[in-house]
Amino acid sequence: DAMVIQNPRYQVTQFGKPVTLSCSQTLNHNVMYWYQQKSSQAPKLLFHYYDKDFNNEADTPDNFQSRRPNTSFCFLDIRSPGLGDAAMYLCATSRDRGTGYEQYFGPGTRLTVT
Amino acid sequence: QQQVKQSPQSLIVQKGGISIINCAYENTAFDYFPWYQQFPGKGPALLIAIRPDVSEKKEGRFTISFNKSAKQFSLHIMDSQPGDSATYFCAASLSTGFQKLVFGTGTRLLVSP
């Protein structure tokens, strides 16, 4: 089945220690998104790639970076995780950016910062 | 203006009952309104969506009612089942530029057996 895969599902990192979360997709979608979802809150868009074009949200901290080496893979790098960065990180894809293009979400990576 | 307000925060419904979740928005430029369902430990999944040119859309037991003049839309789950227990997010997006989804704050639904 075509899908969005996130690894690892659970990640524990130390305060200030860089961490990388990965996302892959078999849907061949042009757009890939990274969301941060804290407990009992709505997903918050961090950034997205439209093909190779990176689009950062204005309120995304510089501590968060992303790479998309090819169509299938996208990475979220947190350069110096703080306790406030503990959250579920969701990757999503869509075929295009127009209104009505469904976003397909992966299962998420739950990040714990100790 | 970019916010979508969702209520209630949590909801308990008996099996077979009707679950109703409401959302309201301010930005009249929003023209796509999806609902997402999220089970614990899973990512959200699109449940049903509506555009403002229709007042109602039904898919199985799930219905969206849309009131353009009131800038409100709601999700109705008929014959609610324990398997419907999940968190539901409404969302909205614009038709111009990048169609970023603006999510509501979510409703945790529990359907009791």
Side-chain angles (χ1 to χ4, degrees), chain B residues 43-107:
Chain B
L46 180 66
L47 187 62
I48 186 173
I50 196 168
R51 294 183 185 270
D53 52 346
V54 296
S55 60
E56 186 175 281
K57 183 174 181 181
K58 184 175 181 180
E59 289 184 2
R61 296 184 294 108
F62 300 91
T63 300
I64 300 179
S65 297
F66 186 82
N67 186 328
K68 190 174 181 178
S69 61
K71 293 182 284 186
Q72 294 176 347
F73 59 109
S74 60
L75 176 69
H76 296 237
I77 307 174
M78 312 300 288
D79 187 26
S80 299
Q81 298 297 311
D84 297 330
S85 298
T87 299
Y88 292 81
F89 292 97
C90 62
S93 71
L94 299 169
S95 62
T96 56
F98 165 51
Q99 286 74 32
K100 170 182 173 178
L101 281 176
V102 179
F103 284 91
T105 49
T107 296

Side-chain angles (χ1 to χ4, degrees), chain A:
Chain A
D1 285 340
M3 55 199 311
V4 180
I5 302 161
Q6 291 188 245
N7 285 304
R9 294 292 312 276
Y10 302 90
Q11 176 73 58
V12 180
T13 191
Q14 291 178 338
F15 182 94
K17 185 175 181 180
V19 66
T20 295
L21 310 181
S22 73
C23 176
S24 64
Q25 53 126 344
T26 60
L27 297 160
N28 202 32
H29 282 173
N30 287 325
V31 192
M32 294 188 78
Y33 310 79
W34 280 104
Y35 287 86
Q36 179 191 63
Q37 185 179 26
K38 295 189 175 180
S39 182
S40 302
Q41 295 185 21
K44 178 181 179 294
L45 183 65
L46 296 173
F47 25 61
H48 77 277
Y49 273 94
Y50 182 64
D51 195 11
K52 294 181 180 179
D53 182 28
F54 177 72
N55 298 267
N56 200 26
E57 291 298 299
D59 58 353
T60 298
D62 292 340
N63 198 26
F64 292 87
Q65 307 277 312
S66 185
R67 296 169 284 135
R68 189 179 185 187
N70 54 52
T71 300
S72 300
F73 285 87
C74 195
F75 300 97
L76 170 62
D77 300 308
I78 309 176
R79 294 193 296 185
S80 181
L83 297 178
D85 296 328
M88 176 78 83
Y89 289 88
L90 297 166
C91 174
T93 73
S94 63
R95 187 158 59 89
D96 207 324
R97 292 194 301 190
T99 294
Y101 284 100
E102 179 178 351
Q103 291 191 25
Y104 294 80
F105 284 83
T109 293
R110 183 164 295 282
L111 178 68
T112 301
V113 182
T114 61

